[in-house]
């Protein structure tokens, strides 16, 4: 078993089609998200917007603030006199997403997209959820998963150098582990809350207007039994995810249950970004045959039958 571990990271990267599909779907979602936020871009991302300007330490020059200086640009005091800077990031994100979908300068696009998106989400952090934090992490990891060349080998597979193989394999597994760690700690913190332990969490959440909807309220607010069942299903799913997601025989029904669960969060609680991003991350847990099925199902290419004679 131990002898196989180096092979996992040194072998030719076998998951390129999966990563390529995931990256495209993620970019499409982010483009949709960016366009829907355009009408309130000033309120979210400008220096004098709803969140205000916090987080820039004026006691130290930027070069002494480490990576934070590159991810917190929109909170710099210079933005107070130049409101157009925020829109450079807003429209820059849209342009970079289109560039990424067109596969134009993918390495440079990946780096710039991470920096621009992270700055936007850091600036408007009070108005966002954990979904935006996860997006920042995913975009960072995807910087390192690239082709070595646009050329392809004889079977049509991408070309990877030895170093790129190591980076691709490493960060692919980092993403999967990141999702599992997220579920693990989410469960751990819920188990520290007495309302989750006694099964009343969904009942109380449904009564908070900011995190509920009429349907969510109708199901859980006045029905303690349904609340208890739903609460424990959430705990079991999140707690068992890091273990059960690796079993091929139950993977698909298990992930389908997760899709239903996260759609419930998206629609019932209004936590849109987080629910959708978690669903999108499930693509990376699928086997190649499932990826092939998805690509065939949603491909725009139509087979053309040439009539004989």
């Amino acid at each position: 078993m131990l002898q196989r571990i180096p092979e996992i990271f040194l072998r030719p990267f076998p998951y390129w089609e999966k990563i390529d599909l995931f990256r495209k779907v993620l970019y499409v979602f982010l483009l949709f998200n960016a366009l829907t936020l355009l009408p309130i871009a000033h309120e979210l991302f400008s220096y004098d917007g709803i969140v205000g300007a916090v987080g820039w330490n004026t006691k130290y020059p930027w070069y002494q603030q480490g990576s934070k200086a590159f991810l917190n640009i929109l909170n710099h005091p210079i933005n107070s006199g130049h409101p157009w800077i925020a829109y450079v990031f807003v429209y820059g994100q849209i342009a970079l997403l289109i560039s990424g979908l067109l596969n134009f300068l993918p390495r440079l696009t990946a780096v710039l997209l991470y920096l621009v998106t992270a700055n936007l989400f850091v600036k408007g952090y009070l108005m966002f959820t954990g979904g935006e934090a996860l997006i920042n992490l995913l975009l960072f990891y995807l910087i390192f998963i690239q082709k070595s060349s646009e050329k392809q080998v004889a079977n049509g597979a991408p070309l990877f150098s030895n170093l790129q193989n190591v980076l691709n394999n490493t960060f692919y597994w980092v993403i999967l582990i990141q999702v599992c760690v997220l579920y693990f700690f989410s469960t751990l913190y819920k188990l520290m809350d007495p309302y989750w332990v006694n099964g009343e969490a969904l009942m109380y959440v449904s009564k908070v207007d900011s995190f509920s909807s009429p349907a969510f309220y109708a199901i859980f607010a006045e029905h303690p039994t349904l609340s208890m069942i739903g609460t424990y299903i959430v705990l079991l799913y999140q707690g068992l995810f890091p273990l059960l997601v690796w079993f091929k025989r139950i993977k698909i029904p298990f992930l389908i249950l997760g899709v239903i669960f996260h759609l419930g969060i998206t629609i019932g609680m209004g936590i849109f970004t987080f629910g959708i991003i978690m669903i999108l991350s499930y693509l990376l847990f699928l086997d190649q045959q499932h990826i092939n099925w998805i690509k065939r199902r949603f491909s725009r290419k139509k087979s053309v039958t040439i009539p004989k004679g």
Side-chain angles (χ1 to χ4, degrees), residues 119-186:
N119 271 281
L120 289 171
F121 288 163
V122 167
K123 181 65 182 70
Y125 73 104
L126 284 178
M127 307 304 293
F128 296 132
T129 66
E132 283 74 15
L134 181 57
I135 289 172
N136 287 342
L137 289 172
L138 292 173
L139 291 177
F140 178 76
Y141 298 147
L142 287 173
I143 290 174
F144 301 95
I145 306 179
Q146 301 287 343
K147 297 179 185 177
S148 294
S149 170
E150 289 302 315
K151 297 180 180 179
Q152 296 180 329
V153 295
N155 62 358
L159 184 65
F160 304 116
S161 66
N162 291 333
L163 175 60
Q164 192 62 61
N165 270 324
V166 173
L167 289 173
N168 288 353
N169 284 303
T170 299
F171 282 93
Y172 169 77
W173 285 103
V174 166
I175 293 176
L176 298 188
I177 293 170
Q178 178 73 66
V179 175
C180 291
V181 168
L182 186 154
Y183 276 120
F184 173 80
F185 280 101
S186 178

Side-chain angles (χ1 to χ4, degrees), residues 1-7:
M1 180 64 183
L2 292 177
Q3 294 177 349
R4 293 187 58 191
I5 294 177
E7 181 187 349

Side-chain angles (χ1 to χ4, degrees), residues 60-129:
Y60 300 97
W62 67 268
Y63 54 83
Q64 292 183 5
Q65 297 189 35
S67 61
K68 186 177 181 181
F70 297 98
L71 305 179
N72 200 27
I73 295 173
L74 293 178
N75 277 313
H76 192 284
I78 194 174
N79 291 278
S80 63
H82 302 87
W84 55 267
I85 295 177
Y87 284 94
V88 171
F89 282 79
V90 170
Y91 289 106
Q93 184 193 39
I94 294 173
L96 288 166
L97 288 167
I98 295 173
S99 174
L101 288 170
L102 296 175
N103 200 34
F104 178 72
L105 298 176
R107 290 176 182 271
L108 179 61
T109 294
V111 173
L112 294 178
L113 180 60
Y114 164 70
L115 292 174
V116 168
T117 302
N119 271 281
L120 289 171
F121 288 163
V122 167
K123 181 65 182 70
Y125 73 104
L126 284 178
M127 307 304 293
F128 296 132
T129 66

